Amino acid sequence: MEAGDGDWSALWAEKIEKAEKEKRRELVLQGQLTDKKIQQTSSLNPKIYSLTLLNYLEISQSPSLREIDAGIGNLIHLQSLLLCRNKLSEIPRAVGSLKSLKVLDVSVNELQALPEEISQLSDLNTLNVSCNQIKALPTGLSKCVKLAVINISKNEISTFPADFFSDDLELLSTIVANENAIADISGEISNLSALKNLDLSNNKLTEIPSELADCSKLKEINFRGNKLKDKRLEKMVNGCQTKSVLDYLRAGGRGKGKGKGKQDSGEKDDSREKEKKKRPDKHQKNRKEEEEEDLNRMVVRVLHVSDSPTAVTVKVTALVKEVRPYIVCCVVKGMNLKSGNALKRFLTAQIKLHDEICEKRTKATIATHDLQLVKGPLLYDARSPKTLKIVPLGRKEIKAADLVRQLQLEAEEQRKQRKRQNVSGLHKYLQLLDDKENYPCVVDAEDHVISFPPITNSEKTKMRKSTSELFVEVTSSTSLQVCKDVMDTLIVKMAELNKFTFDHKEEASLDLETDPANGETASEPAANENAEKEASPELTVQQVRIVDTDGSLKVVYPSKTDLNMDISNLTVVR
């Protein structure tokens, strides 16, 4: 046995035994530790299949994992099964026994087929089989009546099963099927009454069925990269003009088997009458409302870590457990801060979130950085206030202990000037560090402190008007869910602000905004106004993984359960 192998085995066994002893509902095995053990035994620890209380199981990022035992069928309480980024060549038929399963993710493997038994998963809500070598989907998926999201992108699929566009799938809202070999879509797609997002880009389609316009909730379509017979329609889809494409199809543009100009006027009149009977007022009575909703719609795209070779990772040390244990992070791209007062509005919104949902930073703290100035990988650590140094926003480098002392004096002076007897917000969040031997901090690859929550960010990574890609962190001493809730709220607010900036077309300005004491500072001359012409209100949120010192995943944001707010004009594309 090579040096260190015994330690790997002990850690592996300890993690599984701990899950069994503590009757845990969740188990995550991934990365180097898991892969090392699988290399030694050529299989998973069979004890995993006896953890029948599990409702969440993730085994990922283990290239040595090539098969899953039929024992997986014993885990009858599983609601989420994530087997992504391994080298699985097949999924056992026993998966059909997981009657409570809601999420199945087998993306980024070497699968060539899926078992028919998947159709037995009547509670399945999300199915992700992207980035495999699958040539055909199993029949019977229409029996998965609760299916809402399916991702089959980057496979070798040439057609959808005959029963796929069934009105039994009344909850199916998202179909991601880009980069396959799909050559035809049935007009029965109109049966999918809940369909909102459809991505069939980079396939082999030559026509789009006119019945697609019958999907009244459809908000986002992507047919780019298909060589359509109707060149006018092809130009529309390549321009991502969802509303224009649907209006064109609805008005009699080229659909499947019907060409523009191939009918005489009598036939056209007859077909229009048939269309009216086929689609009574439901597509017309709310047309104005739908158009208004389109204008107000915000789009947020989630970029998975597996789709980004430069994804940021944050490693967490054990020391933060005693001072501020919870953190979630993400990268936000596409934020336009150049125009007018866009940056000022963003900073004001961040301050308001700190005052309200973060409860004066006592519940959670938000920190935003210019991603271009962040040098990863990052470390979330806790260090002595006497040795921890930071260049706070608007100040010179200082030790953390001295900075806290300065802020305490400033807060006390503020209280006296305002003749208050109660403590201020600044007092409250400073008290979170009372009696702490170590202070929390986020440190970059060069060991520079870029964040000192809940106090301040670093001048080194502060946001500017030229910033378009943000690294965002939320920390808390309360709970992980608080971090996620705050981050969700912040992302929605950013989408709203970006949409406002886009709609109002402000000119670039030279405004300067500073609020150094509160840690929300930014200033920079406006960038070239020409960039404004290409601006878009759409945001991309790139996942960031939080791992422990062994590389095991602690949390990733946004996960499938994040950004699931019921906001009518917000579309989240995953």
Side-chain angles (χ1 to χ4, degrees), residues 296 298 336 339 341-342 345 493-506 537:
N296 295 326
M298 304 176 295
N336 179 9
S339 304
N341 291 322
R345 282 193 296 271
K493 176 54 69 174
M494 292 174 74
E496 291 175 354
L497 292 171
N498 220 36
K499 185 68 168 64
F500 179 91
T501 300
F502 179 79
D503 290 344
H504 287 75
K505 306 292 183 187
E506 298 172 293

Side-chain angles (χ1 to χ4, degrees), residues 45-55 57 68-79 81 92-100:
N45 189 324
K47 283 189 176 181
I48 292 173
Y49 305 124
S50 65
L51 302 176
T52 55
L53 294 178
L54 288 179
N55 57 39
L57 174 62
I68 295 291
D69 193 270
I72 194 77
N74 298 332
L75 307 182
I76 57 174
H77 294 108
L78 270 188
Q79 295 183 19
L81 177 59
R93 297 171 62 183
V95 74
S97 301
L98 306 178
K99 304 300 183 184
S100 299

